[in-house]
C-alpha cells in the first residue's frame, strides 16, 4: 500500500489477519477522510464493561513507516466515542517510524458504572489511523527565558487556564 502520492510517504503494510481484506482493509472511509479505518480483529465479540480497564484489541496488521519525519496516530472514531462511549484507553496511540510490530487498539468503555456494557464485534471499525509529520526540534536548556512582549509574559505567568472561558 502506498500513501497518497503528494505526501511522499511510502508505507509497507503486512496483513496479519487474513480476514482484513474481506472487511475492506486497507481503506479510508471517504475520498477526503484523514483516518484509515481500523477493524477489531477478534475471534468472538468482546464485552467492555463500563469503566473497566481497557482491553487491547488486535488491528490485524503491522506497518513499516521507516521515515523519521512521519508517525501514525491511532485515534478513536468520533461517532463511537460520542454516541456509544467507546474511546481509546490511552486517548491516542503513537506509532513511531521504527515500530513494526502488530498494531493494537486500546479500547475502553467510558460510560458510567451501572450502564450497559459495550460489545465490539469481529470486523467492526473501532478506530482510525492518521499519518502525520513529526518535527524533532533542537532543545536548548536555559536558566530563564529571554524577555518577550507584555502579552506573552502575562499569559505565561497566569498558568493553566489563564485565558479564561469561551
Amino acid at each position: 500500500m502506498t500513501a497518497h502520492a503528494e505526501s511522499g510517504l511510502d508505507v509497507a503494510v503486512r496483513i496479519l489477519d487474513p480476514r482484513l481484506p474481506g472487511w475492506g482493509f486497507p481503506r479510508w472511509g471517504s475520498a477526503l477522510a484523514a483516518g484509515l479505518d481500523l477493524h477489531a480483529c477478534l475471534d468472538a465479540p468482546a464485552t467492555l464493561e463500563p469503566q473497566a480497564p481497557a482491553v487491547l484489541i488486535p488491528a490485524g496488521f503491522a506497518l513499516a513507516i521507516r521515515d523519521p519525519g512521519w508517525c501514525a496516530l491511532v485515534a478513536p472514531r468520533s461517532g463511537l466515542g460520542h454516541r456509544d462511549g467507546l474511546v481509546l484507553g490511552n486517548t491516542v496511540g503513537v506509532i513511531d517510524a521504527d515500530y513494526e510490530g502488530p498494531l493494537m487498539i486500546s479500547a475502553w468503555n467510558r460510560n458510567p458504572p451501572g450502564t450497559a456494557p459495550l460489545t465490539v464485534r469481529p470486523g467492526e471499525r473501532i478506530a482510525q489511523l492518521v499519518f502525520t509529520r513529526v518535527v524533532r526540534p533542537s532543545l536548548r536548556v536555559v536558566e530563564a527565558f529571554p524577555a518577550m512582549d507584555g502579552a506573552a509574559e502575562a499569559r505565561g505567568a497566569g498558568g493553566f487556564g489563564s485565558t479564561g472561558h469561551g
Side-chain angles (χ1 to χ4, degrees):
M1 173 183 105
T2 16
H4 298 281
E6 66 271 10
S7 74
L9 179 65
D10 181 47
V11 176
V13 175
R14 191 165 52 98
I15 303 291
L16 303 174
D17 189 311
R19 300 172 294 178
L20 273 177
W23 291 332
F25 181 85
R27 75 164 178 257
W28 280 262
S30 73
L32 299 179
L36 177 70
D37 291 334
L38 299 182
H39 299 263
C41 290
L42 298 166
D43 293 326
T47 300
L48 305 178
E49 295 293 335
Q51 298 290 312
V55 174
L56 286 177
I57 297 177
F61 71 99
L63 52 81
I65 299 172
R66 297 188 177 173
D67 182 332
W70 289 85
C71 75
L73 304 174
V74 178
R77 292 190 66 223
S78 55
L80 290 177
H82 177 73
R83 182 185 59 245
D84 301 332
L86 179 62
V87 296
L88 299 183
N90 56 342
T91 65
V92 67
V94 177
I95 310 301
D96 295 312
D98 61 350
Y99 178 75
E100 297 181 8
L103 266 68
M104 303 294 283
I105 302 161
S106 177
W108 183 58
N109 179 350
R110 69 164 172 80
N111 290 317
T115 59
L118 295 174
T119 301
V120 176
R121 291 173 179 70
E124 184 176 358
R125 294 176 301 135
I126 62 167
Q128 56 188 323
L129 190 70
V130 177
F131 293 89
T132 189
R133 292 195 183 270
V134 172
V135 176
R136 295 187 72 184
S138 297
L139 300 179
R140 185 173 37 89
V141 177
V142 298
E143 293 294 323
F145 296 122
M148 291 181 66
D149 67 51
E153 287 181 21
R155 180 166 187 203
F160 187 75
S162 64
T163 60
H165 299 309

